[in-house]
Amino acid sequence: MNNQPSIILVEPQLAENVGMATRAMMNCGLYKLRLVNPREDHLSAKAISASSGAEEILYNAKIYKNTREAVADLQEIYATTARPRNQIKIVHTAENAAKEISKKIKENTSNIGILFGPERTGLHNDDISLADAIIEIPLNPKHCSLNLSQAVLLVGYEWYKNQITAEDVRFVTNTTTLASKEMVLNFVKHLEQNLSEHPGFKDEEKRPHMERNLQNIFTRNHLTEQEINTLYGVIKYLKHK
Amino acid sequence: MNNQPSIILVEPQLAENVGMATRAMMNCGLYKLRLVNPREDHLSAKAISASSGAEEILYNAKIYKNTREAVADLQEIYATTARPRNQIKIVHTAENAAKEISKKIKENTSNIGILFGPERTGLHNDDISLADAIIEIPLNPKHCSLNLSQAVLLVGYEWYKNQITAEDVRFVTNTTTLASKEMVLNFVKHLEQNLSEHPGFKDEEKRPHMERNLQNIFTRNHLTEQEINTLYGVIKYLKHK
């Protein structure tokens, strides 16, 4: 649990939004929440309900009077902003910040916090000036306003992607296994034999081309053993008079 | 507008969620919405309010009776699922699917749709079987349930990242420019000259080390011209008796 950044919500207005933010945190494996001067009770029924199963994060949240206190024991602070602010500061994309934060935490060099501002206004400039760097989430500039939980979700999602090694693509075959090439080619041969009874398939000129087409169709889609058996059944049923 | 995937919400339960989904779509520059048999009126006041400025997407949404009709004129379909389903299918991470979809659309090879299921149950297996491939968003397996708009947001965000070239890191200096090295080093020299009046700085042994420290401190943080001027002022004010 120490090997992750703290999510710091500064003056959140609605307890429901705090609850939804904890749901987003748990989606991303983030459990450390700090709240600066929340306007509503973060343990209200509304908050618990909105957390949708992540209420342990609400119960364990640390509460602070102001942002300065909330960051006092941390070593590096990132501030999330929707738009560039008048401050001379490094600005990261969410993706790049997540990489940097993950690297620093893996190397055990820093206790890190990520600031999120109040729903309506975003972070105050005074709070941004406490941060080492800014995180900007790249979004449609014509419509970049996010609600609080969505901002937490996107930053958390980028963080989570750095914690796991998800395969970019995989092929799910469930309980059955991929058919061997022999099995696929035997099926194609069986199909051809059954087709050869039809006069349209007897045209010696067209036949090699049609055979190649069939082979392409059935080798392209990674058939499983179960599916090959289904296809044998299809032929059998079609031929039934 | 043609160069983007259609977002297809299958049997969404609450109009509010449809509205929030359009807000997330607009955040990500996605404008093409299809609705399959929505339970509530997607143009209700609740939906418009939840869309938070993205109501044009609601007004332009196309409505279908069933998923088969909604995908009929499209060429490739991706289905989003929270958990693996019993279907033999290619499964992409959201990131990889977004790359693939972007590439296909840039090459003009496909009209693409992305299916999202009803809030409570996710997509029916029959609808998943209409899809060429599955999108799984990598999230904490202990808590991977997302609300509809958040699922749309994460898939849309990955799509949007492929449409832009955001700098990973940049340094914002606003109206002022970065100070030249000469300006920085002149300032450090000025500081040293002012310090040299103090007996603690006269120790010939310690002095080179202290000078190097000062130079490190003030060259590490990319000072702007304006900030250098502020620092000259700091020295002046400190020396004022």
Side-chain angles (χ1 to χ4, degrees), chain A residues 1 22 26 31 33 43 48 51 53-61:
Chain A
M1 290 280 275
T22 62
M26 207 173 208
Y31 292 88
L33 176 64
L43 296 176
I48 303 286
S51 79
E55 64 267 20
E56 65 172 275
I57 300 177
L58 290 171
Y59 286 115
N60 293 326

Side-chain angles (χ1 to χ4, degrees), chain A residues 23 26-27 31 52 88-89 91 93 95-96 140 143 145 157-158 161 167-170 172 174, chain B residues 23 26-27 31 52 87-89 91 93 95-96 140 143 145 157-158 161 167-170 172:
Chain A
R23 176 182 182 179
M26 207 173 208
N27 282 149
Y31 292 88
S52 198
I88 294 150
K89 201 80 89 177
V91 180
T93 60
E95 184 177 342
N96 198 64
N140 182 0
H143 193 82
S145 100
Y157 167 71
E158 289 286 9
K161 284 206 294 179
E167 284 176 281
D168 285 347
V169 195
R170 64 183 207 277
V172 175
N174 297 316
Chain B
R23 177 182 182 180
M26 207 173 208
N27 282 149
Y31 292 88
S52 199
Q87 298 205 38
I88 294 152
K89 202 80 91 176
V91 180
T93 60
E95 185 177 341
N96 199 63
N140 182 359
H143 193 83
S145 100
Y157 167 71
E158 289 287 9
K161 285 206 293 179
E167 283 175 281
D168 286 346
V169 195
R170 65 183 206 274
V172 174

Side-chain angles (χ1 to χ4, degrees), chain B residues 204-239:
Chain B
E204 292 297 330
E205 214 176 302
K206 285 187 191 162
R207 188 162 165 173
H209 181 65
M210 200 161 173
E211 281 178 4
R212 211 178 306 121
N213 275 354
L214 286 173
Q215 200 154 301
N216 270 329
I217 288 170
F218 291 104
T219 51
R220 202 168 53 215
N221 54 356
H222 310 289
L223 292 167
T224 65
E225 293 183 351
Q226 200 183 62
E227 288 170 334
I228 293 276
N229 289 334
T230 304
L231 290 171
Y232 273 107
V234 167
I235 294 175
K236 192 176 156 195
Y237 286 12
L238 286 173
K239 290 192 65 177

Side-chain angles (χ1 to χ4, degrees), chain B residues 91-148:
Chain B
V91 180
H92 295 273
T93 60
E95 185 177 341
N96 199 63
K99 259 183 222 156
E100 197 181 84
I101 293 170
S102 299
K103 194 165 168 283
K104 282 177 180 165
I105 288 179
K106 271 172 201 155
E107 291 167 351
N108 245 324
T109 52
S110 256
N111 277 320
I112 293 176
I114 306 175
L115 297 174
F116 294 84
E119 292 89 328
R120 205 161 305 170
T121 57
L123 285 168
H124 309 296
N125 282 331
D126 283 349
D127 288 339
I128 294 176
S129 77
L130 290 171
D132 299 80
I134 286 175
I135 299 177
E136 241 179 59
I137 303 168
L139 290 171
N140 182 359
K142 286 175 202 152
H143 193 83
C144 61
S145 100
L146 285 174
N147 70 35
L148 182 58

